[in-house]
PDB file of all heavy atoms in Angstrom:
ATOM      1  N   PRO A 198     -37.418 -64.170  10.282  1.00  0.00           N
ATOM      2  CA  PRO A 198     -38.154 -64.741   9.154  1.00  0.00           C
ATOM      3  C   PRO A 198     -39.610 -64.301   9.162  1.00  0.00           C
ATOM      4  O   PRO A 198     -40.196 -64.058  10.213  1.00  0.00           O
ATOM      5  CB  PRO A 198     -38.050 -66.257   9.398  1.00  0.00           C
ATOM      6  CG  PRO A 198     -36.982 -66.428  10.435  1.00  0.00           C
ATOM      7  CD  PRO A 198     -37.027 -65.185  11.257  1.00  0.00           C
ATOM      8  N   GLY A 199     -40.180 -64.212   7.970  1.00  0.00           N
ATOM      9  CA  GLY A 199     -41.612 -63.998   7.855  1.00  0.00           C
ATOM     10  C   GLY A 199     -42.335 -65.316   8.028  1.00  0.00           C
ATOM     11  O   GLY A 199     -41.907 -66.182   8.796  1.00  0.00           O
ATOM     12  N   TYR A 200     -43.413 -65.490   7.305  1.00  0.00           N
ATOM     13  CA  TYR A 200     -44.189 -66.724   7.426  1.00  0.00           C
ATOM     14  C   TYR A 200     -43.663 -67.797   6.478  1.00  0.00           C
ATOM     15  O   TYR A 200     -43.665 -67.625   5.260  1.00  0.00           O
ATOM     16  CB  TYR A 200     -45.666 -66.450   7.165  1.00  0.00           C
ATOM     17  CG  TYR A 200     -46.347 -65.825   8.353  1.00  0.00           C
ATOM     18  CD1 TYR A 200     -46.538 -64.452   8.422  1.00  0.00           C
ATOM     19  CD2 TYR A 200     -46.760 -66.608   9.428  1.00  0.00           C
ATOM     20  CE1 TYR A 200     -47.149 -63.877   9.528  1.00  0.00           C
ATOM     21  CE2 TYR A 200     -47.366 -66.044  10.540  1.00  0.00           C
ATOM     22  CZ  TYR A 200     -47.560 -64.679  10.580  1.00  0.00           C
ATOM     23  OH  TYR A 200     -48.154 -64.102  11.690  1.00  0.00           O
ATOM     24  N   PHE A 201     -43.194 -68.871   7.075  1.00  0.00           N
ATOM     25  CA  PHE A 201     -42.733 -70.061   6.376  1.00  0.00           C
ATOM     26  C   PHE A 201     -43.553 -71.233   6.896  1.00  0.00           C
ATOM     27  O   PHE A 201     -44.011 -71.216   8.039  1.00  0.00           O
ATOM     28  CB  PHE A 201     -41.256 -70.333   6.651  1.00  0.00           C
ATOM     29  CG  PHE A 201     -40.298 -69.349   6.037  1.00  0.00           C
ATOM     30  CD1 PHE A 201     -40.189 -68.048   6.527  1.00  0.00           C
ATOM     31  CD2 PHE A 201     -39.492 -69.725   4.979  1.00  0.00           C
ATOM     32  CE1 PHE A 201     -39.302 -67.141   5.973  1.00  0.00           C
ATOM     33  CE2 PHE A 201     -38.586 -68.823   4.422  1.00  0.00           C
ATOM     34  CZ  PHE A 201     -38.499 -67.525   4.917  1.00  0.00           C
ATOM     35  N   LYS A 202     -43.695 -72.258   6.089  1.00  0.00           N
ATOM     36  CA  LYS A 202     -44.370 -73.460   6.575  1.00  0.00           C
ATOM     37  C   LYS A 202     -43.368 -74.286   7.360  1.00  0.00           C
ATOM     38  O   LYS A 202     -42.400 -74.822   6.822  1.00  0.00           O
ATOM     39  CB  LYS A 202     -44.945 -74.284   5.418  1.00  0.00           C
ATOM     40  CG  LYS A 202     -45.789 -75.467   5.893  1.00  0.00           C
ATOM     41  CD  LYS A 202     -46.511 -76.164   4.755  1.00  0.00           C
ATOM     42  CE  LYS A 202     -47.715 -75.389   4.303  1.00  0.00           C
ATOM     43  NZ  LYS A 202     -48.548 -76.146   3.327  1.00  0.00           N
ATOM     44  N   THR A 203     -43.571 -74.379   8.662  1.00  0.00           N
ATOM     45  CA  THR A 203     -42.705 -75.137   9.562  1.00  0.00           C
ATOM     46  C   THR A 203     -43.610 -75.938  10.500  1.00  0.00           C
ATOM     47  O   THR A 203     -44.829 -75.733  10.526  1.00  0.00           O
ATOM     48  CB  THR A 203     -41.826 -74.185  10.407  1.00  0.00           C
ATOM     49  OG1 THR A 203     -42.667 -73.476  11.334  1.00  0.00           O
ATOM     50  CG2 THR A 203     -41.083 -73.185   9.525  1.00  0.00           C
ATOM     51  N   PRO A 204     -43.026 -76.834  11.307  1.00  0.00           N
ATOM     52  CA  PRO A 204     -43.850 -77.542  12.286  1.00  0.00           C
ATOM     53  C   PRO A 204     -44.606 -76.607  13.225  1.00  0.00           C
ATOM     54  O   PRO A 204     -45.695 -76.929  13.698  1.00  0.00           O
ATOM     55  CB  PRO A 204     -42.824 -78.393  13.049  1.00  0.00           C
ATOM     56  CG  PRO A 204     -41.757 -78.662  12.044  1.00  0.00           C
ATOM     57  CD  PRO A 204     -41.653 -77.397  11.233  1.00  0.00           C
ATOM     58  N   LEU A 205     -44.054 -75.401  13.493  1.00  0.00           N
ATOM     59  CA  LEU A 205     -44.717 -74.445  14.380  1.00  0.00           C
ATOM     60  C   LEU A 205     -45.912 -73.765  13.709  1.00  0.00           C
ATOM     61  O   LEU A 205     -46.850 -73.342  14.374  1.00  0.00           O
ATOM     62  CB  LEU A 205     -43.722 -73.371  14.836  1.00  0.00           C
ATOM     63  CG  LEU A 205     -42.812 -73.694  16.033  1.00  0.00           C
ATOM     64  CD1 LEU A 205     -41.914 -72.511  16.323  1.00  0.00           C
ATOM     65  CD2 LEU A 205     -43.624 -74.062  17.265  1.00  0.00           C
ATOM     66  N   THR A 206     -45.862 -73.638  12.387  1.00  0.00           N
ATOM     67  CA  THR A 206     -46.906 -72.874  11.689  1.00  0.00           C
ATOM     68  C   THR A 206     -47.817 -73.740  10.818  1.00  0.00           C
ATOM     69  O   THR A 206     -48.821 -73.238  10.299  1.00  0.00           O
ATOM     70  CB  THR A 206     -46.279 -71.797  10.776  1.00  0.00           C
ATOM     71  OG1 THR A 206     -45.484 -72.450   9.761  1.00  0.00           O
ATOM     72  CG2 THR A 206     -45.409 -70.847  11.569  1.00  0.00           C
ATOM     73  N   GLU A 207     -47.470 -75.019  10.665  1.00  0.00           N
ATOM     74  CA  GLU A 207     -48.192 -75.869   9.712  1.00  0.00           C
ATOM     75  C   GLU A 207     -49.686 -75.928  10.002  1.00  0.00           C
ATOM     76  O   GLU A 207     -50.524 -75.800   9.088  1.00  0.00           O
ATOM     77  CB  GLU A 207     -47.599 -77.282   9.719  1.00  0.00           C
ATOM     78  CG  GLU A 207     -48.144 -78.170   8.630  1.00  0.00           C
ATOM     79  CD  GLU A 207     -47.379 -79.479   8.532  1.00  0.00           C
ATOM     80  OE1 GLU A 207     -46.558 -79.776   9.435  1.00  0.00           O
ATOM     81  OE2 GLU A 207     -47.613 -80.203   7.554  1.00  0.00           O
ATOM     82  N   LYS A 208     -50.048 -76.110  11.273  1.00  0.00           N
ATOM     83  CA  LYS A 208     -51.463 -76.202  11.627  1.00  0.00           C
ATOM     84  C   LYS A 208     -52.191 -74.899  11.320  1.00  0.00           C
ATOM     85  O   LYS A 208     -53.296 -74.892  10.755  1.00  0.00           O
ATOM     86  CB  LYS A 208     -51.612 -76.570  13.104  1.00  0.00           C
ATOM     87  CG  LYS A 208     -53.054 -76.774  13.538  1.00  0.00           C
ATOM     88  CD  LYS A 208     -53.128 -77.222  14.997  1.00  0.00           C
ATOM     89  CE  LYS A 208     -54.563 -77.424  15.436  1.00  0.00           C
ATOM     90  NZ  LYS A 208     -54.646 -77.842  16.861  1.00  0.00           N
ATOM     91  N   MET A 209     -51.582 -73.784  11.676  1.00  0.00           N
ATOM     92  CA  MET A 209     -52.177 -72.483  11.439  1.00  0.00           C
ATOM     93  C   MET A 209     -52.367 -72.223   9.942  1.00  0.00           C
ATOM     94  O   MET A 209     -53.418 -71.756   9.497  1.00  0.00           O
ATOM     95  CB  MET A 209     -51.295 -71.392  12.044  1.00  0.00           C
ATOM     96  CG  MET A 209     -51.746 -69.973  11.771  1.00  0.00           C
ATOM     97  SD  MET A 209     -50.576 -68.752  12.396  1.00  0.00           S
ATOM     98  CE  MET A 209     -49.178 -69.021  11.305  1.00  0.00           C
TER      99      MET A 209
END
Side-chain angles (χ1 to χ4, degrees):
Y200 282 98
F201 290 71
K202 186 172 283 188
T203 69
L205 277 180
T206 63
E207 188 171 10
K208 184 177 180 181
M209 175 185 68

